[in-house]
Protein backbone atom coordinates (compact mmCIF):
# COMPACT_ATOMS: atom_id res chain seq x y z
CA UNK A 1 0.00 0.00 0.00
CA UNK A 2 2.84 2.36 0.89
CA UNK A 3 4.63 1.65 -2.41
CA UNK A 4 1.51 2.59 -4.34
CA UNK A 5 1.17 5.82 -2.35
CA UNK A 6 4.80 6.76 -2.98
CA UNK A 7 4.51 6.21 -6.71
CA UNK A 8 1.36 8.30 -6.84
CA UNK A 9 3.13 11.11 -4.91
CA UNK A 10 6.16 11.03 -7.22
CA UNK A 11 3.89 11.49 -10.24
CA UNK A 12 2.43 14.70 -8.80
CA UNK A 13 3.85 18.08 -9.81
CA UNK A 14 5.93 20.05 -7.31
CA UNK A 15 4.09 22.77 -5.41
CA UNK A 16 4.74 26.40 -6.20
CA UNK A 17 6.43 28.67 -3.66
CA UNK A 18 7.80 32.19 -3.45
CA UNK A 19 9.14 34.45 -0.71
CA UNK A 20 8.99 38.21 -0.11
CA UNK A 21 11.79 39.50 2.17
CA UNK A 22 12.33 42.76 4.07
CA UNK A 23 15.99 43.67 4.74
CA UNK A 24 17.91 46.74 5.85
CA UNK A 25 19.07 48.88 2.93
CA UNK A 26 22.39 49.74 4.58
CA UNK A 27 24.15 50.38 7.84
CA UNK A 28 23.31 53.58 9.66
CA UNK A 29 20.08 54.12 7.70
CA UNK A 30 16.42 53.46 8.49
CA UNK A 31 15.67 52.63 4.83
CA UNK A 32 14.69 49.05 3.93
CA UNK A 33 14.57 47.04 0.72
CA UNK A 34 11.95 44.53 -0.41
CA UNK A 35 12.96 41.56 -2.57
CA UNK A 36 10.81 38.81 -4.06
CA UNK A 37 11.94 35.36 -5.19
CA UNK A 38 9.91 35.74 -8.37
CA UNK A 39 12.46 36.62 -11.12
CA UNK A 40 10.19 39.24 -12.69
CA UNK A 41 9.82 41.26 -9.48
CA UNK A 42 12.19 44.21 -9.10
CA UNK A 43 13.66 45.24 -5.77
CA UNK A 44 11.94 48.10 -3.92
CA UNK A 45 13.41 50.59 -1.40
CA UNK A 46 11.37 52.39 1.24
CA UNK A 47 12.32 54.96 3.88
CA UNK A 48 11.21 53.04 7.01
CA UNK A 49 10.48 49.53 8.29
CA UNK A 50 6.79 50.35 8.79
CA UNK A 51 6.40 51.45 5.17
CA UNK A 52 8.42 48.40 4.08
CA UNK A 53 6.13 45.94 5.90
CA UNK A 54 3.04 47.54 4.39
CA UNK A 55 4.55 47.41 0.89
CA UNK A 56 5.73 43.80 1.34
CA UNK A 57 2.28 42.68 2.49
CA UNK A 58 0.68 44.49 -0.44
CA UNK A 59 3.18 42.86 -2.83
CA UNK A 60 2.36 39.38 -1.52
CA UNK A 61 -1.39 40.04 -1.72
CA UNK A 62 -0.98 41.10 -5.34
CA UNK A 63 0.76 37.79 -6.07
CA UNK A 64 -2.01 35.85 -4.33
CA UNK A 65 -4.71 37.66 -6.33
CA UNK A 66 -2.88 37.06 -9.60
CA UNK A 67 -1.89 33.45 -8.87
CA UNK A 68 -4.09 30.66 -10.30
CA UNK A 69 -6.00 28.41 -7.94
CA UNK A 70 -4.04 25.62 -6.17
CA UNK A 71 -3.60 22.59 -8.38
CA UNK A 72 -5.16 19.40 -7.01
CA UNK A 73 -2.30 17.37 -8.48
CA UNK A 74 0.52 19.23 -6.69
CA UNK A 75 2.48 17.72 -3.82
CA UNK A 76 3.54 19.70 -0.77
CA UNK A 77 6.11 22.46 -1.22
CA UNK A 78 6.73 22.37 2.55
CA UNK A 79 8.55 19.00 2.58
CA UNK A 80 11.97 20.70 2.66
CA UNK A 81 10.97 23.27 5.28
CA UNK A 82 10.70 21.08 8.35
CA UNK A 83 6.92 20.70 8.22
CA UNK A 84 5.63 18.90 11.30
CA UNK A 85 3.99 16.30 9.07
CA UNK A 86 7.34 15.48 7.41
CA UNK A 87 9.75 15.66 10.35
CA UNK A 88 10.96 12.32 11.75
CA UNK A 89 9.45 11.42 15.08
CA UNK A 90 11.38 10.29 18.14
CA UNK A 91 9.15 7.22 18.42
CA UNK A 92 9.35 3.91 16.72
CA UNK A 93 7.66 4.87 13.48
CA UNK A 94 9.07 7.46 11.09
CA UNK A 95 6.86 10.42 10.23
CA UNK A 96 7.96 10.75 6.61
CA UNK A 97 5.33 8.46 5.12
CA UNK A 98 3.42 10.22 2.33
CA UNK A 99 0.09 9.06 3.75
CA UNK A 100 0.51 11.71 6.45
CA UNK A 101 -0.28 14.34 3.81
CA UNK A 102 -3.92 14.66 2.94
CA UNK A 103 -6.87 16.88 2.22
CA UNK A 104 -7.30 19.36 -0.60
CA UNK A 105 -4.30 21.29 -1.91
CA UNK A 106 -4.23 24.85 -0.58
CA UNK A 107 -2.19 28.00 -1.03
CA UNK A 108 -0.78 28.75 2.44
CA UNK A 109 0.95 31.91 3.67
CA UNK A 110 3.58 31.80 6.44
CA UNK A 111 5.42 34.74 8.03
CA UNK A 112 7.95 35.08 10.82
CA UNK A 113 7.09 36.78 14.10
CA UNK A 114 9.40 39.72 13.45
CA UNK A 115 7.79 40.61 10.13
CA UNK A 116 10.94 40.15 8.03
CA UNK A 117 9.71 37.65 5.43
CA UNK A 118 6.47 36.32 3.97
CA UNK A 119 6.27 32.94 2.19
CA UNK A 120 3.47 31.54 0.02
CA UNK A 121 3.47 27.82 -0.85
CA UNK A 122 1.27 25.15 -2.40
CA UNK A 123 0.68 22.26 0.01
CA UNK A 124 -2.01 19.97 1.33
CA UNK A 125 -4.40 21.18 4.00
CA UNK A 126 -2.98 18.76 6.58
CA UNK A 127 0.55 20.16 6.20
CA UNK A 128 -0.81 23.72 6.27
CA UNK A 129 -2.47 22.93 9.60
CA UNK A 130 0.79 21.40 10.91
CA UNK A 131 2.86 24.49 10.02
CA UNK A 132 2.93 27.05 12.87
CA UNK A 133 1.49 30.40 11.87
CA UNK A 134 0.34 29.23 8.41
CA UNK A 135 -2.85 30.75 7.04
CA UNK A 136 -4.79 29.34 4.10
CA UNK A 137 -5.37 31.86 1.31
CA UNK A 138 -7.01 29.66 -1.37
CA UNK A 139 -8.20 26.03 -1.59
CA UNK A 140 -8.29 23.88 -4.71
CA UNK A 141 -11.71 23.21 -6.20
CA UNK A 142 -11.38 19.46 -6.11
CA UNK A 143 -9.77 17.55 -3.23
CA UNK A 144 -6.35 16.14 -3.89
CA UNK A 145 -5.92 12.42 -4.65
CA UNK A 146 -5.94 10.17 -1.65
CA UNK A 147 -2.43 8.94 -1.04
CA UNK A 148 -3.46 6.34 1.51
CA UNK A 149 -5.54 3.23 1.07
CA UNK A 150 -8.61 3.74 -1.12
CA UNK A 151 -11.94 3.56 0.68
CA UNK A 152 -13.74 0.23 0.56
CA UNK A 153 -16.81 0.45 -1.73
CA UNK A 154 -20.13 -0.02 0.04
CA UNK A 155 -23.13 -1.55 -1.64
CA UNK A 156 -26.15 0.73 -2.02
CA UNK A 157 -28.63 0.35 0.75
CA UNK A 158 -26.18 -1.25 3.13
CA UNK A 159 -25.46 1.23 5.86
CA UNK A 160 -26.10 4.26 3.62
CA UNK A 161 -28.40 7.03 4.84
CA UNK A 162 -32.05 6.79 3.83
CA UNK A 163 -33.89 9.94 2.72
CA UNK A 164 -37.60 10.66 2.80
CA UNK A 165 -37.33 12.41 -0.58
CA UNK A 166 -38.51 9.87 -3.17
CA UNK A 167 -36.23 11.34 -5.81
CA UNK A 168 -33.29 10.96 -3.54
CA UNK A 169 -34.31 7.40 -2.75
CA UNK A 170 -34.55 6.66 -6.46
CA UNK A 171 -31.01 7.95 -6.98
CA UNK A 172 -32.01 10.88 -9.16
CA UNK A 173 -30.14 13.38 -6.93
CA UNK A 174 -28.62 13.29 -3.49
CA UNK A 175 -28.38 16.45 -1.47
CA UNK A 176 -24.83 17.80 -1.25
CA UNK A 177 -23.24 17.21 2.12
CA UNK A 178 -22.97 20.29 4.27
CA UNK A 179 -19.37 21.31 4.78
CA UNK A 180 -18.31 21.57 8.38
CA UNK A 181 -17.53 25.13 9.33
CA UNK A 182 -13.83 25.81 9.58
CA UNK A 183 -12.56 25.97 13.11
CA UNK A 184 -10.94 29.33 13.63
CA UNK A 185 -8.84 30.29 16.57
CA UNK A 186 -9.61 33.62 18.15
CA UNK A 187 -6.82 36.13 17.50
CA UNK A 188 -4.22 36.16 20.25
CA UNK A 189 -3.79 39.47 22.02
CA UNK A 190 -0.16 40.32 22.78
CA UNK A 191 1.90 42.91 24.59
CA UNK A 192 5.71 42.97 24.77
CA UNK A 193 5.87 39.61 22.94
CA UNK A 194 3.68 38.05 25.65
CA UNK A 195 0.34 36.39 24.90
CA UNK A 196 -2.46 37.74 27.06
CA UNK A 197 -4.53 34.77 28.30
CA UNK A 198 -8.13 34.94 27.16
CA UNK A 199 -9.29 33.82 30.61
CA UNK A 200 -7.21 36.37 32.54
CA UNK A 201 -9.11 37.89 35.43
CA UNK A 202 -10.07 40.51 36.37
CA UNK A 203 -11.50 41.40 32.98
CA UNK A 204 -10.51 45.06 33.45
CA UNK A 205 -6.85 44.00 33.67
CA UNK A 206 -7.07 42.01 30.45
CA UNK A 207 -8.78 44.91 28.67
CA UNK A 208 -6.04 47.27 29.89
CA UNK A 209 -3.27 44.95 28.61
CA UNK A 210 -4.97 44.52 25.23
CA UNK A 211 -5.43 48.28 24.86
CA UNK A 212 -1.81 48.94 25.85
CA UNK A 213 -0.57 46.44 23.28
CA UNK A 214 -2.56 48.21 20.57
CA UNK A 215 -1.30 51.63 21.71
CA UNK A 216 2.35 50.53 21.70
CA UNK A 217 1.98 49.11 18.18
CA UNK A 218 0.31 52.32 17.04
CA UNK A 219 3.15 54.34 18.58
CA UNK A 220 5.70 52.33 16.57
CA UNK A 221 3.95 53.48 13.38
CA UNK A 222 4.39 57.17 14.23
CA UNK A 223 6.69 59.19 12.02
CA UNK A 224 7.68 61.57 14.85
CA UNK A 225 8.40 60.59 18.46
CA UNK A 226 6.29 61.87 21.35
CA UNK A 227 8.30 61.21 24.50
CA UNK A 228 5.57 62.45 26.85
CA UNK A 229 3.09 59.98 25.33
CA UNK A 230 5.68 57.19 25.44
CA UNK A 231 6.35 57.86 29.14
CA UNK A 232 2.62 57.65 29.89
CA UNK A 233 2.38 54.33 28.07
CA UNK A 234 5.32 52.88 29.99
CA UNK A 235 3.82 54.03 33.31
CA UNK A 236 0.52 52.33 32.47
CA UNK A 237 2.41 49.21 31.40
CA UNK A 238 4.32 49.13 34.69
CA UNK A 239 1.09 49.31 36.71
CA UNK A 240 -0.67 46.70 34.55
CA UNK A 241 2.26 44.25 34.65
CA UNK A 242 2.55 44.63 38.42
CA UNK A 243 -1.13 43.71 38.80
CA UNK A 244 -0.68 40.84 36.33
CA UNK A 245 2.23 39.52 38.40
CA UNK A 246 0.14 39.74 41.57
CA UNK A 247 -2.75 37.69 40.17
CA UNK A 248 -0.59 35.14 38.30
CA UNK A 249 2.47 34.83 40.52
CA UNK A 250 4.84 35.05 37.53
CA UNK A 251 7.99 36.80 38.72
CA UNK A 252 9.19 37.73 35.21
CA UNK A 253 6.14 39.99 34.86
CA UNK A 254 7.31 41.95 37.89
CA UNK A 255 10.74 42.36 36.33
CA UNK A 256 9.10 43.60 33.14
CA UNK A 257 7.14 46.13 35.22
CA UNK A 258 10.38 47.47 36.71
CA UNK A 259 11.90 47.85 33.25
CA UNK A 260 8.79 49.75 32.17
CA UNK A 261 9.19 52.10 35.16
CA UNK A 262 12.81 52.76 34.17
CA UNK A 263 11.80 53.37 30.56
CA UNK A 264 9.12 55.83 31.70
CA UNK A 265 11.65 57.73 33.83
CA UNK A 266 14.14 57.89 30.95
CA UNK A 267 11.47 59.09 28.51
CA UNK A 268 10.34 61.79 30.97
CA UNK A 269 13.90 62.99 31.42
CA UNK A 270 14.56 63.11 27.67
CA UNK A 271 11.31 65.01 27.20
CA UNK A 272 12.41 67.61 29.77
CA UNK A 273 15.79 67.85 28.05
CA UNK A 274 14.18 68.53 24.68
CA UNK A 275 11.57 70.96 25.99
CA UNK A 276 13.89 72.89 28.28
CA UNK A 277 12.09 71.75 31.42
CA UNK A 278 8.79 73.33 30.31
CA UNK A 279 5.68 71.39 31.20
CA UNK A 280 3.30 70.27 28.49
CA UNK A 281 1.23 73.14 27.21
CA UNK A 282 3.21 75.81 29.09
CA UNK A 283 5.49 76.82 26.26
CA UNK A 284 7.21 75.76 23.06
CA UNK A 285 9.41 72.69 22.96
CA UNK A 286 13.17 73.01 22.55
CA UNK A 287 14.91 70.70 20.10
CA UNK A 288 18.48 70.53 21.35
CA UNK A 289 21.47 69.68 19.19
CA UNK A 290 22.76 67.31 21.89
CA UNK A 291 19.64 65.51 23.06
CA UNK A 292 20.88 62.84 25.49
CA UNK A 293 22.17 63.76 28.97
CA UNK A 294 25.30 61.66 28.40
CA UNK A 295 26.22 63.81 25.41
CA UNK A 296 26.31 66.90 27.62
CA UNK A 297 28.45 65.01 30.14
CA UNK A 298 30.91 64.12 27.37
CA UNK A 299 31.07 67.77 26.26
CA UNK A 300 31.88 68.87 29.83
CA UNK A 301 34.52 66.13 30.10
CA UNK A 302 36.34 67.49 27.02
CA UNK A 303 36.24 71.05 28.39
CA UNK A 304 37.62 69.87 31.74
CA UNK A 305 40.38 67.83 30.06
CA UNK A 306 41.50 70.78 27.93
CA UNK A 307 41.47 73.08 30.98
CA UNK A 308 43.91 70.71 32.74
CA UNK A 309 46.10 69.80 29.75
CA UNK A 310 46.33 72.96 27.64
CA UNK A 311 49.94 73.32 26.41
CA UNK A 312 49.84 77.13 26.02
CA UNK A 313 48.37 79.96 28.14
CA UNK A 314 45.67 82.40 27.03
CA UNK A 315 42.09 82.14 25.82
CA UNK A 316 43.03 81.98 22.13
CA UNK A 317 45.35 79.01 22.69
CA UNK A 318 42.69 77.37 24.89
CA UNK A 319 40.00 77.71 22.22
CA UNK A 320 42.26 76.35 19.48
CA UNK A 321 43.35 73.46 21.70
CA UNK A 322 39.72 72.65 22.49
CA UNK A 323 38.64 72.54 18.85
CA UNK A 324 41.64 70.43 17.82
CA UNK A 325 40.97 68.04 20.70
CA UNK A 326 37.35 67.61 19.59
CA UNK A 327 38.56 66.84 16.04
CA UNK A 328 40.95 64.11 17.23
CA UNK A 329 39.36 62.91 20.48
CA UNK A 330 38.72 59.29 19.45
CA UNK A 331 42.07 58.12 18.08
CA UNK A 332 44.29 61.19 18.30
CA UNK A 333 44.09 61.82 14.53
CA UNK A 334 41.76 63.80 12.30
CA UNK A 335 41.42 66.13 9.32
CA UNK A 336 41.40 69.92 9.31
CA UNK A 337 41.04 72.72 6.74
CA UNK A 338 42.00 76.37 6.85
CA UNK A 339 38.39 77.56 7.24
CA UNK A 340 38.13 75.65 10.55
CA UNK A 341 40.88 77.84 12.01
CA UNK A 342 39.80 81.10 10.42
CA UNK A 343 36.32 80.73 11.98
CA UNK A 344 37.71 80.84 15.53
CA UNK A 345 38.34 84.58 15.62
CA UNK A 346 42.08 84.20 16.40
CA UNK A 347 44.42 87.15 15.94
CA UNK A 348 47.35 85.04 14.69
CA UNK A 349 46.21 81.48 13.88
CA UNK A 350 49.40 80.62 11.98
CA UNK A 351 51.60 81.66 14.90
CA UNK A 352 49.53 79.63 17.37
CA UNK A 353 49.73 76.52 15.19
CA UNK A 354 53.50 76.91 14.95
CA UNK A 355 53.73 77.16 18.74
CA UNK A 356 51.64 73.99 19.18
CA UNK A 357 53.78 72.07 16.69
CA UNK A 358 56.96 73.51 18.17
CA UNK A 359 56.19 72.18 21.66
CA UNK A 360 55.30 68.75 20.25
CA UNK A 361 51.60 68.86 21.19
CA UNK A 362 50.47 68.91 17.52
CA UNK A 363 51.91 67.04 14.54
CA UNK A 364 51.41 68.17 10.91
CA UNK A 365 52.64 66.70 7.62
CA UNK A 366 53.60 70.21 6.43
CA UNK A 367 53.76 73.76 7.71
CA UNK A 368 51.17 75.89 9.48
CA UNK A 369 50.79 77.92 6.27
CA UNK A 370 49.91 74.75 4.36
CA UNK A 371 47.23 73.98 6.95
CA UNK A 372 45.67 77.43 6.68
CA UNK A 373 45.67 77.17 2.87
CA UNK A 374 44.06 73.70 2.75
CA UNK A 375 40.52 73.40 1.37
CA UNK A 376 37.68 70.90 2.00
CA UNK A 377 38.56 68.88 -1.10
CA UNK A 378 42.11 68.40 0.20
CA UNK A 379 42.09 68.48 4.04
CA UNK A 380 45.24 68.30 6.12
CA UNK A 381 45.68 65.25 8.40
CA UNK A 382 46.65 66.23 11.94
CA UNK A 383 47.72 64.22 14.97
CA UNK A 384 47.86 64.89 18.71
CA UNK A 385 50.27 62.33 20.23
CA UNK A 386 48.87 62.70 23.77
CA UNK A 387 45.44 61.53 22.56
CA UNK A 388 46.66 58.47 20.65
CA UNK A 389 45.69 55.36 22.68
CA UNK A 390 48.65 53.35 23.91
CA UNK A 391 48.88 49.57 23.48
CA UNK A 392 46.22 47.96 25.62
CA UNK A 393 45.16 51.28 27.16
CA UNK A 394 42.13 53.44 26.51
CA UNK A 395 42.31 57.12 25.62
CA UNK A 396 41.34 59.94 27.99
CA UNK A 397 37.71 59.95 26.77
CA UNK A 398 35.04 57.27 27.12
CA UNK A 399 32.82 58.15 24.15
CA UNK A 400 33.08 56.35 20.81
CA UNK A 401 33.75 57.37 17.25
CA UNK A 402 30.10 58.17 16.51
CA UNK A 403 29.87 60.59 19.43
CA UNK A 404 33.01 62.55 18.48
CA UNK A 405 31.59 64.26 15.33
CA UNK A 406 28.42 65.16 17.27
CA UNK A 407 30.43 66.96 19.93
CA UNK A 408 32.67 68.62 17.38
CA UNK A 409 29.69 69.77 15.33
CA UNK A 410 27.99 71.14 18.43
CA UNK A 411 31.07 73.19 19.41
CA UNK A 412 31.43 74.49 15.85
CA UNK A 413 27.77 75.62 15.91
CA UNK A 414 28.35 77.57 19.13
CA UNK A 415 31.53 79.41 18.16
CA UNK A 416 30.21 80.07 14.63
CA UNK A 417 26.94 81.57 15.83
CA UNK A 418 25.72 84.17 13.37
CA UNK A 419 25.50 87.04 15.86
CA UNK A 420 28.91 86.22 17.34
CA UNK A 421 30.45 86.32 13.87
CA UNK A 422 28.61 89.52 13.00
CA UNK A 423 29.90 91.19 16.17
CA UNK A 424 33.42 89.86 15.42
CA UNK A 425 33.57 88.27 18.85
CA UNK A 426 37.00 87.46 20.20
CA UNK A 427 38.22 83.97 20.99
CA UNK A 428 37.65 84.64 24.70
CA UNK A 429 34.02 85.60 24.08
CA UNK A 430 33.41 82.46 22.02
CA UNK A 431 35.10 80.27 24.62
CA UNK A 432 32.93 81.81 27.34
CA UNK A 433 29.79 81.19 25.24
CA UNK A 434 30.83 77.56 24.79
CA UNK A 435 31.44 77.17 28.51
CA UNK A 436 28.15 78.78 29.57
CA UNK A 437 26.24 76.48 27.18
CA UNK A 438 27.38 73.52 29.30
CA UNK A 439 26.67 75.15 32.70
CA UNK A 440 22.91 75.76 32.70
CA UNK A 441 19.82 74.03 33.97
CA UNK A 442 17.08 72.77 31.65
CA UNK A 443 15.49 76.24 31.44
CA UNK A 444 18.78 77.96 30.53
CA UNK A 445 19.57 79.52 33.92
CA UNK A 446 23.27 79.59 34.74
CA UNK A 447 24.73 77.15 37.25
CA UNK A 448 23.36 74.07 39.03
CA UNK A 449 19.70 74.65 39.78
CA UNK A 450 19.97 78.10 38.20
CA UNK A 451 21.88 79.42 41.24
CA UNK A 452 24.83 80.83 39.26
CA UNK A 453 28.40 79.78 38.42
CA UNK A 454 31.25 80.24 40.90
CA UNK A 455 33.78 82.73 39.58
CA UNK A 456 36.84 80.59 40.35
CA UNK A 457 35.36 77.67 38.41
CA UNK A 458 34.52 79.90 35.45
CA UNK A 459 38.00 81.41 35.21
CA UNK A 460 39.50 77.92 35.36
CA UNK A 461 37.58 77.02 32.19
CA UNK A 462 38.06 80.42 30.51
CA UNK A 463 41.67 81.61 31.20
CA UNK A 464 41.12 85.35 31.61
CA UNK A 465 41.58 87.84 34.38
CA UNK A 466 38.52 88.48 36.54
CA UNK A 467 38.56 92.11 35.42
CA UNK A 468 38.15 91.05 31.78
CA UNK A 469 35.13 88.87 32.50
CA UNK A 470 32.68 91.76 32.69
CA UNK A 471 33.77 92.87 29.20
CA UNK A 472 33.09 89.39 27.77
CA UNK A 473 29.72 89.19 29.55
CA UNK A 474 28.72 92.51 27.98
CA UNK A 475 29.68 91.17 24.55
CA UNK A 476 27.48 88.08 25.04
CA UNK A 477 24.60 90.27 26.22
CA UNK A 478 24.94 92.45 23.12
CA UNK A 479 25.03 89.34 20.90
CA UNK A 480 21.71 88.14 22.40
CA UNK A 481 23.38 85.19 24.15
CA UNK A 482 22.96 86.24 27.76
CA UNK A 483 20.18 88.04 29.60
CA UNK A 484 19.77 89.30 33.15
CA UNK A 485 23.50 88.82 33.74
CA UNK A 486 24.86 89.84 37.12
CA UNK A 487 28.56 89.50 37.92
CA UNK A 488 29.73 89.73 41.53
CA UNK A 489 33.04 89.01 43.21
CA UNK A 490 32.07 85.37 43.71
CA UNK A 491 29.71 84.26 40.94
CA UNK A 492 27.96 84.96 37.65
CA UNK A 493 24.19 84.63 37.43
CA UNK A 494 21.90 85.08 34.48
CA UNK A 495 19.84 83.36 31.84
CA UNK A 496 20.76 82.21 28.34
CA UNK A 497 18.35 83.62 25.79
CA UNK A 498 15.69 81.52 24.15
CA UNK A 499 17.53 81.83 20.84
CA UNK A 500 20.49 79.75 22.03
CA UNK A 501 18.62 77.20 24.19
CA UNK A 502 18.97 74.52 21.45
CA UNK A 503 22.77 74.74 21.90
CA UNK A 504 22.73 74.17 25.66
CA UNK A 505 23.71 70.98 27.50
CA UNK A 506 21.73 71.09 30.77
CA UNK A 507 23.40 69.95 33.96
CA UNK A 508 21.92 66.89 35.73
CA UNK A 509 19.00 67.83 37.93
Amino acid sequence: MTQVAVSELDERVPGRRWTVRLDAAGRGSAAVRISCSRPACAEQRLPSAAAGRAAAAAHLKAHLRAAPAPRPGAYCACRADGCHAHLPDTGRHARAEPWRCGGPVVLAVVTDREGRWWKAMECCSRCAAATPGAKTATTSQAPGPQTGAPPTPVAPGAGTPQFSNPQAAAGTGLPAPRSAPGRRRPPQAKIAQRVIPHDLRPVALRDELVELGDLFRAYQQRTEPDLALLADLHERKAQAFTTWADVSGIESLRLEARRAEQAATAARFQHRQRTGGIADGDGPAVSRLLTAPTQGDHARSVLAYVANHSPLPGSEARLLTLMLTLRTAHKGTGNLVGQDLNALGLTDPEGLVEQLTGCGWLTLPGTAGDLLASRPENPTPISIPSLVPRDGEAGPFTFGKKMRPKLSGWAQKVISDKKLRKAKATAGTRLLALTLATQTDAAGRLGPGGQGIALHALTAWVPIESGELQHLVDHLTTADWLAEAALTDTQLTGQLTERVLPLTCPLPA
Side-chain angles (χ1 to χ4, degrees), residues 4 39 73 123 140 144 180 195-196 209 242 254-255 287 305 357 412 469:
V4 174
C123 63
S140 59
V195 177
I196 306 172
L209 291 170
T242 301
R254 205 175 304 279
L255 298 177
S287 179
Y305 176 84
T357 55
Q412 196 70 36
L469 188 56

Side-chain angles (χ1 to χ4, degrees), residues 74 93 117 126 183 244 263 271-272 285 306 328 331 425:
H93 302 289
W117 54 260
R126 182 175 294 175
R183 194 172 153 192
W244 192 2
H271 177 66
R272 287 196 299 269
V306 172
T328 59
K331 292 184 178 180

Side-chain angles (χ1 to χ4, degrees), residues 90-280:
T90 56
R92 183 177 58 182
H93 302 289
R95 296 189 60 182
E97 292 87 355
W99 52 265
R100 287 195 175 271
C101 297
V105 177
V106 300
L107 199 59
V109 178
V110 187
T111 182
D112 72 327
R113 294 179 60 182
E114 304 297 331
R116 293 171 296 188
W117 54 260
W118 295 259
K119 182 186 299 181
M121 61 182 180
E122 217 171 14
C123 63
C124 70
S125 59
R126 182 175 294 175
C127 290
T131 303
K135 294 183 180 181
T136 300
T138 315
T139 306
S140 59
Q141 296 298 325
Q146 296 292 332
T147 56
T152 305
V154 182
T160 58
Q162 302 295 321
F163 299 93
S164 59
N165 188 338
Q167 293 182 347
T172 57
L174 294 176
R178 298 173 64 183
S179 59
R183 194 172 153 192
R184 296 183 179 179
R185 293 182 179 179
Q188 291 181 331
K190 290 185 177 182
I191 180 173
Q193 301 301 322
R194 292 179 181 269
V195 177
I196 306 172
H198 67 278
D199 56 350
L200 180 63
R201 295 296 181 270
V203 177
L205 172 61
R206 187 180 189 280
D207 293 342
E208 172 71 0
L209 291 170
V210 172
E211 181 181 357
L212 280 174
D214 295 338
L215 290 175
F216 271 108
R217 284 184 286 273
Y219 183 86
Q220 292 174 351
Q221 305 299 321
R222 294 174 61 95
T223 56
E224 294 293 335
D226 187 343
L227 294 177
L229 173 61
L230 182 61
D232 291 339
L233 292 179
H234 279 301
E235 287 179 353
R236 290 177 57 183
K237 177 184 173 182
Q239 297 175 0
F241 269 64
T242 301
T243 307
W244 192 2
D246 293 339
V247 300
S248 64
I250 302 175
E251 189 61 27
S252 61
L253 295 174
R254 205 175 304 279
L255 298 177
E256 186 73 25
R258 293 173 188 169
R259 286 192 289 268
E261 291 176 355
Q262 296 172 355
T265 302
R268 290 279 185 213
F269 187 76
Q270 291 180 5
H271 177 66
R272 287 196 299 269
Q273 293 288 329
R274 293 189 177 188
T275 59
I278 301 172
D280 295 338

Side-chain angles (χ1 to χ4, degrees), residues 22-34 43-49 402:
L22 180 67
D23 299 294
R27 298 182 63 180
S29 171
V32 295
R33 60 185 178 88
I34 301 174
E43 183 181 284
Q44 302 180 48
R45 288 181 177 265
L46 291 106
S48 65
K402 291 185 178 180

Side-chain angles (χ1 to χ4, degrees), residues 436 439-441 443-447 449-453 473 477 481-488 491-497:
L436 295 182
Q439 300 296 313
T440 70
D441 62 5
R445 296 185 297 268
L446 297 181
Q451 300 301 315
I453 307 175
V473 169
T477 303
W481 257 83
L482 196 56
E484 303 174 6
L487 180 62
T488 66
Q491 67 176 2
L492 171 65
T493 58
Q495 163 87 43
L496 292 189
T497 61

